[in-house]
Amino acid sequence: MSGTAGIWDDLSARIGTAAALAAAGAVALWAGGVLFTLLVSVLAGGMTWELARMLAPGRPGTASALGAAAALALAAADTALPGWATAALLLAPPVAILALLGPRGPLAAVFTLLFMLAGASLLHLRADGGANAVFWLVAVVVASDVAGYFAGRRLGGPKLWPRVSPKKTWSGTVAGWAAAALAGLAFAGSTGAGAALAAVSVAVAVAAQAGDIAESALKRHVGVKDSSALLPGHGGLMDRFDAMIGAAVMVLALRALTALPGGL
């Protein structure tokens, strides 16, 4: 009995933190405008700060400066600027982190670029598709994550990639895809996307899971358990939003390559 209880030991902390994040996110998302831009920019800056702390633990001042620069750059990019200026702002933090972190600069620059692109994707999705479009994306990521968490812990089975992410199972992964498809169907009518949104949602869930695995690989490479201790039950911002990063970047890529159903 104690062994079964042990796998749920962190559940109450995870639920409490998730509820607080959901409330703050929902308010900012409904409000849109400056409040949503501020939230997304702070998250991107916070993750950049965590990343720099992990890769250069002896340079806290540099990490803080890079985090602040990323937040300010993303917020500035969400204004009426020429395309080249927006691109320059999004690229500035990855270039800075590449120059400042030495041998680990290239790895840090890749992740920082993903943070910036994910943030830009969320801001554009909110501006173009409204709050409902972002709620769809959040629903897909949360459904995939929750289904994967419970199915993986309850059903167990073969590991997805034990060397990189020892807790991930194929049962959890497939459950996450199924939950994402259902989340897409739930938004099929309100977005006007129809049943095609289920397939798009599965593709987004795959990218979300890839984001999760990429962050796990990074932490294993650095030798840390969590990206920080900011969020009880979840670790840091990167630990909580790694899947959203992958999902948002996938949406950005899909919107750039093709028209998503329902005008998302």
Side-chain angles (χ1 to χ4, degrees):
M1 187 75 172
S2 60
T4 302
I7 66 174
W8 309 111
D9 282 347
D10 62 345
L11 188 57
S12 60
R14 286 176 67 90
I15 291 174
T17 300
L21 290 172
V27 170
L29 180 51
W30 276 117
V34 173
L35 189 58
F36 187 61
T37 298
L38 178 63
L39 174 65
V40 174
S41 299
V42 167
L43 290 176
M47 289 188 288
T48 303
W49 169 74
E50 289 179 340
L51 177 70
R53 283 177 72 251
M54 283 193 291
L55 295 178
R59 299 169 63 184
T62 299
S64 297
L66 287 168
L72 290 171
L74 184 57
D78 191 43
T79 56
L81 293 172
W84 63 266
T86 299
L89 284 167
L90 294 178
L91 287 172
V95 170
I97 211 167
L98 176 64
L100 291 174
L101 292 196
R104 285 179 163 175
L107 177 63
V110 170
F111 274 89
T112 305
L113 180 60
L114 292 174
F115 301 159
M116 300 302 287
L117 292 176
S121 176
L122 289 170
L123 294 175
H124 283 292
L125 188 62
R126 174 63 177 84
D128 298 339
N132 197 46
V134 183
F135 275 127
W136 156 72
L137 180 60
V138 172
V140 168
V141 173
V142 171
S144 175
D145 183 47
V146 171
Y149 178 82
F150 283 102
R153 293 203 171 195
R154 177 57 63 186
L155 300 177
K159 301 296 184 180
L160 177 64
W161 197 349
R163 222 180 73 181
V164 174
S165 188
K167 293 183 180 179
K168 294 285 185 299
T169 62
W170 274 106
S171 62
T173 300
V174 174
W177 295 344
L182 292 175
L185 289 175
F187 280 81
S190 62
T191 59
L197 193 58
V200 173
S201 298
V202 173
V204 169
V206 171
Q209 292 166 346
D212 192 346
I213 291 171
E215 199 241 357
S216 295
L218 172 67
K219 290 189 296 185
R220 186 165 291 273
H221 172 71
V222 176
V224 299
K225 181 179 182 293
D226 297 318
S227 60
S228 75
L230 288 176
L231 305 175
H234 295 269
L237 295 173
M238 287 178 64
D239 300 313
R240 178 60 274 169
F241 295 104
D242 49 6
M244 180 58 73
I245 294 164
V249 172
M250 172 62 84
V251 168
L252 184 68
L254 290 173
R255 296 184 79 205
L257 294 173
T258 184
L260 291 183
L264 290 173

